Amino acid sequence: MQPLLEQACWETLIMVGWSTLISVALGLPIGVLLVLTDKGGLLQNSLVNKVTGQIVNVGRSMPFIILMVALMSFTRWITGTTIGSEAAIVPLAIGGIPFFARLVETAVREVDHGLVEAVQAMGGNTWTIVRRVLVPEALPSLIASITTTIVALIGYSAMAGTVGGGGLGDLAVRYGYQRFETGLMWITVAVLAVVISLIQFAGDYAARSLHHRGGRQGSGPRLRLLKAKEPATTTATADLGKAG
């Protein structure tokens, strides 16, 4: 059993790792775009917001097993095959992008709008606000969102194993179910439970750490903004003194 489990764990790690990287890299800007183009956003554009939101909704609402079948031609065009862990990365990533994008949208909306207005008053452009305010302030929630996405992708990868995607799901189906190796199937379930628990613990710990650190330094941006305005106040006071 050990060689089989090691190979299956390695395949699952490859699938989930690459699909998570792609989901975060593409889902983060999409989620931020949904916030920026929404009503009252910095780049308010109802057409872009509705079209992007509808695409995300369609991607989220489609069951993963159906998504895998629908993307077989695209997967074959990208990887040259529809079987194996490399082929499973394509539907996993496409399924993870809209999932993570909605989580990013929710996290970014929680950022204090007063900070955004303060940076705007100082002349900061949209890119500066996104890079210096929205993403850093939402970082604890974003870490929690990444954790949730990883756990969901592990479940998707197990489902991908039922159609030849490899990994722990494929091991459980081929050996645990089809060959009636009940012990191996339960071992696979236990491995998945342990892996998910460890990932959830690590993600929760990182999010809490960032949240507490941000709580202790929560007045930092406001203090920096106040300090940035001090020279102008001092100059005005000096001018009044000379006039007197």
Side-chain angles (χ1 to χ4, degrees), residues 18-158:
W18 279 107
S19 58
T20 299
L21 289 176
I22 298 172
S23 298
V24 172
L26 297 181
L28 179 61
I30 292 175
V32 173
L33 180 65
L34 287 171
V35 176
L36 296 178
T37 58
D38 199 6
K39 184 178 180 180
L42 299 175
L43 302 175
Q44 181 175 336
N45 189 316
S46 59
L47 179 61
V48 174
N49 185 268
K50 289 180 180 179
V51 172
T52 305
Q54 190 61 36
I55 293 174
V56 170
N57 290 337
V58 171
R60 287 189 61 195
S61 62
M62 187 173 297
F64 181 71
I65 191 69
I66 297 177
L67 182 65
M68 285 193 66
V69 175
L71 291 175
M72 278 188 174
S73 298
F74 181 71
T75 301
R76 184 180 292 108
W77 179 67
I78 294 292
T79 64
T81 182
T82 58
I83 299 175
S85 56
E86 293 182 359
I89 293 173
V90 176
L92 282 172
I94 293 178
I97 290 171
F99 182 86
F100 183 67
R102 281 301 184 191
L103 296 178
V104 171
E105 180 187 11
T106 302
V108 173
R109 287 189 189 280
E110 296 175 354
V111 176
D112 185 4
H113 193 66
L115 294 175
V116 176
E117 293 178 348
V119 175
Q120 281 182 307
M122 296 177 62
N125 56 24
T126 302
W127 170 243
T128 301
I129 292 172
V130 171
R131 186 166 56 94
R132 297 294 180 87
V133 178
L134 295 181
V135 173
E137 291 294 323
L139 192 56
S141 297
L142 291 177
I143 295 297
S145 300
I146 292 174
T147 304
T148 303
T149 303
I150 293 175
V151 172
L153 288 175
I154 291 176
Y156 290 168
S157 69

Side-chain angles (χ1 to χ4, degrees), residues 31 35 127 138 156 189 204 223 234 237:
V35 176
W127 170 243
Y156 290 168
V189 172
D204 291 344
L223 291 176
T234 305
T237 305

